[in-house]
Amino acid sequence: MFRLTALVLGLSLAFVLLQPSAVLADDQVTHFTLENGMDVVVIEDHRAPVAVHMVWYRAGSADEPAGASGIAHFLEHLMFKRTENMESGEFSRTVASNGGRDNAFTSYDYTAYFQRVAADRLGLMMRMEADRMVNLQLDDSEIATEREVIIEERNQRVENSPAALFREQKDAVQYLNHRYGVPIIGWRHEMVSLDRDDALAFYDRFYAPNNAILVVAGDVTPDEVRALAEEHYGVIPANPDLPERVRPSEPPQTAERRMIYRDARVAQPYVSRSYLAPERDSGAQEDAAALTILAEVLGSGTTSVMSEALQFDSQIATFTGAFYGGMSLDSTTFDLVVVPSEGVSLEEAEAAIDKVLADFLETGVHAEDLDRIKMQLKASQIYARDSVESLANRYGRAMTQGLTVTDVQEWPDLLQAVTADDVLAAARMVLDRRQAVTGWLMAEEVTQ
């Protein structure tokens, strides 16, 4: 039944991919660097008179100093406060009054700020963004107020979620030395003492044009973006003291790690396992491409290996999944999760995972499954081109994590070139229990 479903889906996607209007063309991308070291990426898309303006800093939570966890995210919030030329909150009010929207986000490897506006407002966005790159003004009252905001954000997103607390602890077990083991939002006991000096130290260290990538996507041309970028960003001097981007390295993981997280609020227990895995590296993305396909084969959709074996054949699980986060500056993880059916213990669920993986390492991937997955990935890449924000994000994320424009453009072909042997080799490389953390999320034990 499921093979038939896969065949029908594959034929449907093949029909989409063969349509002339859906041919995957090369992105119209121009890349240049200003004299002060700021990278600029221009992605042309003239279907609508809008533009997405993004500034990405090569600084995220993994670049924070020890003892100041959460400062990258805290500074992201503070960047919407007062500058020498704007009042607190004026940035977002100006964007809204010009019919646009703006926001920002922080990850381990980057902090990014963006606006989506009418294309003729691009110069205004650059003027304001350049202003807060160098002219941020912070006072202690705003620090105190915004610190309460981020603490409340942690309360809502982490403290109120057993699953989030579980993931946080599991990451800390996976990474003994690297900052990927520290939550992006920060440890609560360190967040409460973040102050103005911490914020300004991070700002002065990392917020500079030679540590930033400007991405503009939409109804623009490279010449007009270059002129505006030189006018607004080009006059900002580079930071001559910008440090080399080096993080604490993770020691070799040679022993399996296990953890149990109990919380009375857990209604649905589950098993999660993460393996250390290589990231996408510039000029050497083949392993990451194979791992991307492997995640799809093992745990994406109802026709995946884990889903068929555990949800439908044995009915051991109600949900299965496999995930690979290849977009990472340093070593990342390959993750599996199984939510057991009622009456199935976590021990039984974990044993079932191990059997599925062992069987897969013996049999490998079926040719029809590999073809279907490649077709789905190709279709998703085509559909993603409908969004200028998606295009801007693709290039911005990649370049903050050591990849180039060429790497981004070669990625779809690398995925299509992955063979069944490549997938099996990737599985044998990464599915090593000595480099894994297995976690059980469960409710508190009932005491008599």
Side-chain angles (χ1 to χ4, degrees):
M1 173 182 174
F2 299 110
R3 296 290 179 209
L4 179 60
T5 302
L7 177 61
V8 172
L9 177 60
L11 291 173
S12 300
L13 287 171
F15 178 78
V16 171
L17 294 174
L18 290 173
Q19 299 312 297
S21 61
V23 173
L24 185 61
D26 291 336
D27 296 332
Q28 290 183 272
V29 179
T30 303
H31 173 221
F32 55 89
T33 305
L34 302 183
E35 289 186 7
N36 59 9
M38 187 176 195
D39 282 305
V40 183
V41 177
V42 183
I43 307 166
E44 294 183 70
D45 186 331
H46 301 288
R47 291 174 296 177
V50 298
V52 172
H53 170 265
M54 307 190 79
V55 171
W56 299 72
Y57 292 97
R58 295 180 180 92
S61 67
D63 301 291
E64 296 167 341
S69 64
I71 193 61
H73 173 249
F74 188 28
L75 178 59
E76 174 213 311
H77 280 240
L78 295 172
M79 287 287 283
F80 291 86
K81 302 301 182 182
R82 185 169 58 89
T83 72
E84 289 184 3
N85 302 298
M86 291 185 290
E87 294 300 320
S88 183
E90 183 179 344
F91 192 112
S92 294
R93 289 196 300 270
T94 302
V95 174
S97 67
N98 281 272
R101 61 182 180 86
D102 72 321
N103 213 326
F105 46 91
T106 304
S107 188
Y108 289 113
D109 298 319
Y110 56 78
T111 310
Y113 302 84
F114 76 90
Q115 305 86 41
R116 180 185 174 95
V117 292
D120 62 2
R121 300 295 192 274
L122 181 59
L124 174 62
M125 299 301 107
M126 287 197 191
R127 176 175 64 78
M128 294 194 300
E129 197 67 77
D131 178 39
R132 68 176 173 180
M133 180 182 284
V134 290
N135 294 323
L136 186 64
Q137 305 289 304
L138 299 176
D139 60 53
D140 288 336
S141 64
E142 288 184 326
I143 291 287
T145 299
E146 205 61 37
R147 186 170 55 225
E148 291 303 314
V149 171
I150 63 168
I151 290 172
E152 180 57 27
E153 185 176 340
R154 179 182 167 87
N155 289 339
Q156 293 180 3
R157 296 186 178 184
V158 182
E159 306 293 349
N160 285 340
S161 169
L165 290 166
F166 169 68
R167 289 192 298 269
E168 187 176 79
Q169 292 294 313
K170 189 161 164 288
D171 287 343
V173 173
Q174 182 82 73
Y175 294 99
L176 298 181
N177 197 46
H178 195 284
R179 296 289 294 184
Y180 288 168
V182 177
I184 294 169
I185 200 167
W187 296 117
R188 195 181 196 284
H189 70 283
E190 293 182 346
M191 294 170 66
V192 296
S193 60
L194 293 175
D195 58 22
R196 180 176 180 274
D197 289 342
D198 294 324
L200 289 178
F202 198 84
Y203 178 72
D204 292 339
R205 184 179 180 89
F206 292 115
Y207 278 51
N210 52 325
N211 198 42
I213 302 157
L214 168 65
V215 181
V216 180
D219 191 20
V220 295
T221 66
D223 287 344
E224 68 176 300
V225 172
R226 181 189 290 270
L228 288 170
E230 289 177 345
E231 176 186 354
H232 296 289
Y233 296 110
V235 297
I236 302 173
N239 177 6
D241 300 319
L242 182 68
E244 185 180 354
R245 200 173 191 191
V246 178
R247 281 89 169 268
S249 59
E250 190 70 13
Q253 184 173 335
T254 57
E256 179 182 1
R257 301 169 190 167
R258 304 185 62 83
M259 60 165 284
I260 295 175
Y261 188 85
R262 297 181 183 275
D263 192 304
R265 298 169 294 178
V266 172
Q268 178 60 72
Y270 63 81
V271 179
S272 174
R273 180 181 294 157
S274 57
Y275 301 84
L276 280 180
E279 73 283 359
R280 282 173 63 179
D281 287 325
S282 182
Q285 302 182 88
E286 288 79 7
D287 284 346
L291 288 169
T292 299
I293 300 288
L294 175 63
E296 296 290 322
V297 170
L298 288 180
S300 179
T302 57
T303 56
S304 67
V305 170
M306 291 173 62
S307 179
E308 286 196 355
L310 302 183
Q311 291 180 247
F312 298 103
D313 292 348
S314 65
Q315 297 186 351
I316 283 175
T318 59
F319 174 81
T320 60
F323 314 94
Y324 169 64
M327 290 289 279
S328 176
L329 186 63
D330 300 315
S331 293
T332 183
T333 59
F334 187 96
D335 298 83
L336 306 173
V337 62
V338 169
V339 178
S341 300
E342 187 175 356
V344 177
S345 70
L346 294 181
E347 185 177 13
E348 291 170 323
E350 183 181 342
I353 295 174
D354 290 333
K355 184 178 187 309
V356 169
L357 296 180
D359 290 345
F360 178 78
L361 291 173
E362 288 294 322
T363 61
V365 59
H366 296 290
E368 63 269 28
D369 289 336
L370 183 59
D371 290 342
R372 169 181 53 80
I373 287 166
K374 287 183 178 181
M375 202 170 294
Q376 288 174 329
L377 290 172
K378 194 168 188 177
S380 69
Q381 290 157 358
I382 291 172
Y383 301 144
R385 292 174 58 83
D386 287 338
S387 166
V388 291
E389 289 183 47
S390 175
L391 290 171
N393 269 279
R394 179 186 303 170
Y395 285 91
R397 285 189 63 198
M399 292 185 67
T400 58
Q401 294 169 110
L403 301 177
T404 66
V405 169
T406 300
D407 292 324
V408 176
Q409 294 179 337
E410 289 178 348
W411 180 246
D413 289 339
L414 289 173
L415 289 174
Q416 296 303 312
V418 171
T419 67
D421 287 343
D422 294 334
V423 175
L424 190 55
R428 288 171 174 161
M429 170 186 65
V430 79
L431 299 177
D432 182 350
R433 291 283 288 272
R434 294 169 299 178
Q435 298 188 87
V437 177
T438 303
W440 291 5
L441 174 65
M442 57 198 306
E444 295 280 6
E445 289 183 318
V446 178
T447 57
Q448 300 296 328

